[in-house]
Amino acid sequence: MAARNEPNKTAIYATTVTAFFAIAGIAIVDPILPAIGADLGATTWQIELLFTAYIAVMALGMIPAVMLTGKFGYKKILAVGVSVVAVAAIAASFTTSIGSLAALRGLWGLGNAMFFATAMVLLVSLANDRAWAVELFETCVGLGFAIGPLIGGLLGKISWRVPFLLCGLFMIVALALSVTRLKDPDVMPAPLRIGNIFATFKKPAFVALCVITGTYNFVFFIVLGFTPVFLGLGVVQLGLVFTGWGIGLAFGILVIGHRLAHRFGAVQTVGFAIIVLFGALFGLATSHSTLQTIVFLVISGICMGIANANLTDLALATGSPDRRVTTGAFNLIRWGFAAPAPVVAGLLAENVSLASPFWVAIGVLAVGVLTFFAFGHMMARNVGEKVLWSRWNKGAEAAEGSAEEALELV
């Protein structure tokens, strides 16, 4: 086999390895949530703050991070972000209160915002074969979700502090890779104004995709953040269960997500994934055994992987030609809608019923499913695809024209 013609191969590998560490840092928390609550005397909604603080700060940090690339370049922003994650993770392993731990998780989220706002754009700009670089990045993301819970479960048996400490050490390695191996593209990014980013929301197809993504990501973090509490298993058992979920996610991303998109179109593939996920949520809400819950959890992971494999591609196709602008706008919605989900789940579980977070997730995702059926044709047309109900398009296009006129008046 001929050698791949990639002069920046080392820099590309360094970026994707860092992505693995960053994603593993999200998933590593899952198995140790109950242990943290027991050790620090925290209630369910308080331990869910570890997810909400992280996601909220990550969402708010995305746009400033994107804008700063125009002043400082990609490499510096990425390296600072990795440094912040390393400091936050190591400090978290020594904290003694749930409040300080949540604050450090927020700082962790800020670091990850700086990384994710730059990593994909940096990869695409460095690679000759962009599809290969994106696939490599997605592989590391999938592996991070699969391996992170296993690390958390096995090391969390010693102490919940050990996974945090190890993650911080991983990020120090990632920082060394970033500083020594990464480089900015030959053409530096132009400065951005915040108005450039929000102008993306004038595109109806992009807005429809954001609604679907926002509801989906809310559900994603209900499942990821609350199911460990719902299951009530030990640390190692939770690690193994969420490794199964992560493997399902990785399978959806790496094996079938793009294959389904090539055969049926990315829009219909995402629609199929969220409809099956809707059914899996119903299974979680009505589950009467641990085994049944695990089965529906793994099914949800596969659906989430299929959706994740295609949502970013659709965002880039329906958003601004400037990838930084689209990334900033899309991630603001993606993470912003996800942020309240874990704490909402914790409060519902404490005050309503243990299954109530899943019922709320079903209601939220129903909005995404309805949006898909109402505006899927619009997104499909933007990317040169068709949907099964294309015969409805004449009436739908009239509605779309009204939506576009309304947006032009804003």
Side-chain angles (χ1 to χ4, degrees), residues 77-268:
I77 299 301
L78 188 145
V80 170
V82 172
S83 302
V84 169
V85 172
V87 170
I90 292 172
S93 68
F94 294 99
T95 192
T96 57
S97 72
I98 194 67
S100 60
L101 186 55
L104 287 167
R105 283 289 287 176
L107 184 63
W108 194 329
L110 177 62
N112 261 15
M114 300 174 80
F115 171 77
F116 282 109
T118 55
M120 183 60 76
V121 181
L122 185 60
L123 274 178
V124 170
S125 65
L126 290 174
N128 290 334
D129 185 345
R130 294 182 176 185
W132 167 74
V134 171
E135 184 179 351
L136 190 63
F137 184 84
E138 290 175 345
T139 299
C140 287
V141 168
L143 290 175
F145 272 120
I147 297 174
L150 185 61
I151 295 172
L154 295 178
L155 296 181
K157 185 67 174 178
I158 304 170
S159 168
W160 62 264
R161 301 177 187 276
V162 176
F164 282 144
L165 180 61
L166 182 64
C167 193
L169 296 177
F170 278 164
M171 295 311 286
I172 291 175
V173 175
L175 176 62
L177 289 172
S178 302
V179 171
T180 60
R181 301 298 183 184
L182 293 186
K183 67 174 187 177
D184 281 312
D186 295 332
V187 179
M188 291 295 289
L192 282 179
R193 292 181 294 109
I194 194 166
N196 299 134
I197 294 172
F198 282 98
T200 313
F201 294 111
K202 293 183 178 180
K203 296 176 177 289
F206 183 75
V207 172
L209 179 67
C210 283
V211 172
I212 294 170
T213 303
T215 59
Y216 158 74
N217 257 45
F218 182 92
V219 168
F220 186 102
F221 280 93
I222 290 281
V223 172
L224 183 64
F226 175 69
T227 310
V229 177
F230 182 78
L231 282 167
L233 299 174
V235 173
V236 174
Q237 291 92 332
L238 281 175
L240 293 173
V241 166
F242 273 89
T243 296
W245 171 83
I247 290 171
L249 187 83
F251 179 75
I253 293 174
L254 306 175
V255 180
I256 59 175
H258 292 302
R259 290 182 181 179
L260 289 174
H262 289 152
R263 181 164 184 177
F264 300 106
V267 173
Q268 290 192 142

Side-chain angles (χ1 to χ4, degrees), residues 313-359:
D313 291 341
L314 287 173
L316 293 173
T318 57
S320 167
D322 189 329
R323 290 174 180 268
R324 293 176 300 156
V325 169
T326 299
T327 298
F330 186 62
N331 282 326
L332 176 65
I333 298 299
R334 186 177 216 167
W335 299 106
F337 274 78
V343 163
V344 167
L347 291 171
L348 287 170
E350 287 182 10
N351 297 293
V352 182
S353 71
L354 199 59
S356 59
F358 294 126
W359 289 112

